[in-house]
Amino acid sequence: MTAEPAVVAPVLPAALRERIVAEFPKYPEKRAVLLSALHFVQDTFEGWIPQAVVPEVAALLGLKPIDVWEVIHFYAMFNSEPVGRCHLRVCTNLSCCLRGARGIMRRLEETLAVRPGEVTPDGNFSVGEVECLGSCGTAPVIQVNNERYREGLSEDDLPGLLDELRTRLAEQDAAKDEE
Amino acid sequence: MSDASTGQKFENPVTVTIDGRAIVAEKGDMLLQVALDNGIEIPHYCYHPKLSIDGSCRMCQVKTGAPKLAIACNTPVVDGMEVDTQSEDVAKARRGVMELLLINHPLDCPICDQAGECYLQDYSYGYGREEARTASPRRKGLKRHPIGPRVVFDQERCILCRRCVRFTNEISKTDELAVFGAGDHSHIGTAPGAPLDNAYSVNTADICPVGALLSSDFHHKRRVWFLEETQSVCPSCSKGCNVKLGMFKNEIQRLVPRRNDDVNETWMCDHGRLNYAFAQDETRARDAVVRGEAANGSSPVVSTDDALKEASAKIRATIDAHGANAVGILGSGALTNEEQYHLAALARDAVGTSNLDVIVPTGEADGFLIQAEKVANARGAREMGVSPGESGKDVAGMLAAAAAGEIKLLYVIGSNALAEAVEADALQAAMDNVDTLIVQDTNVGPWADKATIVLPGQVWAEKDGTFTNHQGRVQRVRRAMSPTEGSYCDGGLFTRLGALLGGKDPAGARFDARATLAEISEKVSGYEGMSFERLGSLGVVLGEAAPASAPAETEEGSAPAEPA
């Protein structure tokens, strides 16, 4: 039978591999490390999970590549395509939609001139719809990268949010230049 | 399954009452299967008897006396259980499930191949709403997407029963399919760069209860209700997977597997399923041909009767000049047992040669369904006597003897199979030196083009008879196609040639498969008691047909209906 994953040259950096393996003692079985491992991969690869690392992560954890893909696609926090340095996840589940999430999504797309799956030309921003973030009481909610939720937003809050993020990115760039 | 419905014994019998009917079943068996085995239909999508239980579709809910309705697929039967599959709350639950399944279903039945054999359609009849209660647009998804080389995917029609996912996980063990996304965005998909491509991939289309996964080969080919289906056996290897031939206007439209737990369960390989074009394409050998000085004017095409007379004359002349063992007969593993029986008689009695063997092309086996012998009836051929007689030569021996000039006439039944089965050089050397080549084949090919005499044969779909598979199970082959008018099946060619060689009128030498099997059942060890009726739809293992008083199976067999 076919469909054996093609042998690929190792792309997991040694440090990342060690970081994943170091998690093993914390869990009853290796496969349970998958979520942590995928977070580490995203940390290493600018917020997304390149296709080529999946077979390696699977092999490391004794899983089949399809199992890893299933998990990557199940959770909104994992990205299988490149994202901006600030990736904005807009909850579009019921409560958030009732409180204006659709308008927020539309405003973000217009302001940043990106659609879900795209990244702004400067590489700074991307947006995406996600399923329930579990914060219906403070709907509507946006999560930037893995930071704490921005809650109870309205469309009017968006320019301020984007300014804050742009300022932060500029500071990061400046710090990098000084190095 | 076949045991479960034919008055069987249970180790731990329990009695359950389903809709007022007392049923004895094995303790711990699942309620849905018990009901199906006893002819009680409980609607279901995700449950499949050959896959693990998923319990995701919620369609098979029934009342068991528990506080809530229970899914029958995952409820073990216990003694005294009272089940109601018909009450109003059960019907209401099913209507609810149907409404949710249909909220995003495109209802494009007019252009859906599954229409006519679709569980969504069937159950909509019983439990569907007349109109939708939502005005929202239906979810859009991939349409006509080639999810693999032989399977087409329609994401909008999918109800996420996960049968296909479990198939690639548990049966093909290739793990191409999974459910991606979450919640409302869930969908079946493949990993990047790893399409649904395994030796059994089209089975996913068979088990898909809706029109989400479809056979590319059958896509938009024919409405299923126009198909006439004939139960038969796949001819592509010695496994003998049970199949149904879907016919339209005398052409095979598709092969689908038919359940036989002792052979192929309910699966078949993609190669066997798709290997039927040879039966009806332009490569079919339809004309009898005589080349050389006996040719009839400019066209070598003659009547089959005339070609048989010429074949008889050539064989007779070879015997007279060089003895009977100057004739070599290479038989085909694609013929029925009844035909093989007459071929053996022809070689032994009418020709008198001991140079007789069966051509068996071989290839990869996979330990599941695919066998190394790439013909259906090599075993039957040998058992009917299509094998070298005393000091006779086998296939390789005959080719070597022909190359050495000892064999002057080769009678090849299945020249294309021969080219597949032997080294090209050995075949070429034999053909270069032989005086007369008689080819009997279903399809044209390089050796039929060079033969002195060509006798057109018939394919398995044009015949009634039996094959014996690699396990020694004798199974029925049924005629699904009408043969070319005036042509003879291979068995008919053998009986007529035998008559001509014996100086008799070939018109009196009709081939009768049923009568031949009766003769086989008296003369060939292991075949005692075999008859078309005794074999039924699922076949009988050698040695198990006698005594003849054993109850005959019905034509339909005992396997329950499966979602196509």
Side-chain angles (χ1 to χ4, degrees), chain B residues 500-552:
Chain B
L500 285 163
L501 284 165
K504 298 192 200 101
D505 179 5
R510 292 175 61 85
F511 169 78
D512 182 335
R514 183 178 287 273
T516 305
L517 182 57
E519 195 175 328
I520 291 169
S521 73
E522 285 169 17
K523 296 201 172 149
V524 181
S525 169
Y527 288 78
E528 298 84 357
M530 299 281 179
S531 68
F532 285 173
E533 289 71 26
R534 180 71 186 87
L535 295 179
S537 63
L538 301 176
V540 176
V541 172
L542 288 172
E544 291 184 4
S549 59

Side-chain angles (χ1 to χ4, degrees), chain B residues 314-335:
Chain B
K314 289 280 188 194
I315 292 170
R316 174 57 56 206
T318 304
I319 297 170
D320 290 347
H322 307 285
N325 281 335
V327 175
I329 303 180
L330 298 158
S332 162
L335 308 187

Side-chain angles (χ1 to χ4, degrees), chain B residues 51-114:
Chain B
L51 300 173
S52 63
I53 290 169
D54 205 58
S56 56
C57 78
R58 318 310 288 182
M59 193 61 192
C60 67
Q61 293 178 85
V62 292
K63 205 171 178 173
T64 61
K68 295 204 309 184
L69 298 180
I71 48 170
C73 67
N74 205 21
T75 300
V77 289
V78 294
D79 205 32
M81 182 183 257
E82 300 239 353
V83 182
D84 187 341
T85 76
Q86 300 292 331
S87 70
E88 179 49 33
D89 45 351
V90 168
K92 190 180 168 205
R94 290 176 187 164
R95 285 196 295 268
V97 170
M98 284 302 298
E99 184 173 15
L100 290 174
L101 289 177
L102 290 173
I103 274 184
N104 280 305
H105 194 80
L107 294 174
D108 54 354
C109 311
I111 54 152
C112 179
D113 286 337
Q114 191 81 2

Side-chain angles (χ1 to χ4, degrees), chain B residues 274-425:
Chain B
L274 301 174
N275 182 29
Y276 61 83
F278 74 92
Q280 54 205 18
D281 66 14
E282 67 285 352
T283 69
R284 270 304 293 276
R286 305 275 185 197
D287 297 321
V289 170
V290 174
R291 295 192 181 89
E293 72 275 20
N296 175 19
S298 57
S299 168
V301 174
V302 299
S303 73
T304 304
D305 288 326
D306 286 347
L308 280 166
K309 276 181 204 147
E310 184 62 18
S312 166
K314 289 280 188 194
I315 292 170
R316 174 57 56 206
T318 304
I319 297 170
D320 290 347
H322 307 285
N325 281 335
V327 175
I329 303 180
L330 298 158
S332 162
L335 308 187
T336 64
N337 284 325
E338 295 71 25
E339 294 175 318
Q340 306 285 9
Y341 185 80
H342 282 291
L343 174 59
L346 174 74
R348 187 182 58 234
D349 303 332
V351 178
T353 181
S354 47
N355 296 325
L356 171 68
D357 198 4
V358 56
I359 303 160
V360 184
T362 54
E364 295 285 308
D366 71 352
F368 182 38
L369 296 182
I370 299 169
Q371 301 296 311
E373 291 186 339
K374 300 302 176 193
V375 280
N377 201 30
R379 177 169 178 156
R382 296 184 190 107
E383 289 176 347
M384 294 304 128
V386 181
S387 54
E390 203 181 324
S391 69
K393 295 182 170 61
D394 63 7
V395 171
M398 277 187 261
L399 293 181
E406 294 161 30
I407 284 179
K408 305 288 186 189
L409 182 148
L410 275 180
Y411 178 14
V412 178
I413 301 121
S415 60
N416 297 312
L418 179 63
E420 227 180 287
V422 300
E423 295 289 331
D425 292 348

Side-chain angles (χ1 to χ4, degrees), chain A residues 1-4 51 64-67 69-70 73-75 92 129 131, chain B residues 169 172 174-182 185 191-192 197-198 200:
Chain A
M1 304 201 190
T2 54
E4 284 295 311
Q51 184 182 326
K64 292 169 292 204
I66 193 86
D67 300 331
W69 282 113
E70 218 169 5
H73 283 264
F74 183 85
Y75 291 105
T92 51
E129 293 183 16
E131 294 299 326
Chain B
N169 186 238
S172 70
T174 47
D175 299 304
E176 293 105 329
L177 298 176
V179 176
F180 289 77
H185 300 295
D197 186 9
N198 65 68
Y200 297 91

Side-chain angles (χ1 to χ4, degrees), chain B residues 210-223:
Chain B
V210 300
L213 293 173
L214 301 165
S215 161
S216 311
D217 177 64
F218 188 67
H219 197 215
H220 292 176
K221 199 185 213 176
R222 195 71 58 194
R223 307 308 330 212

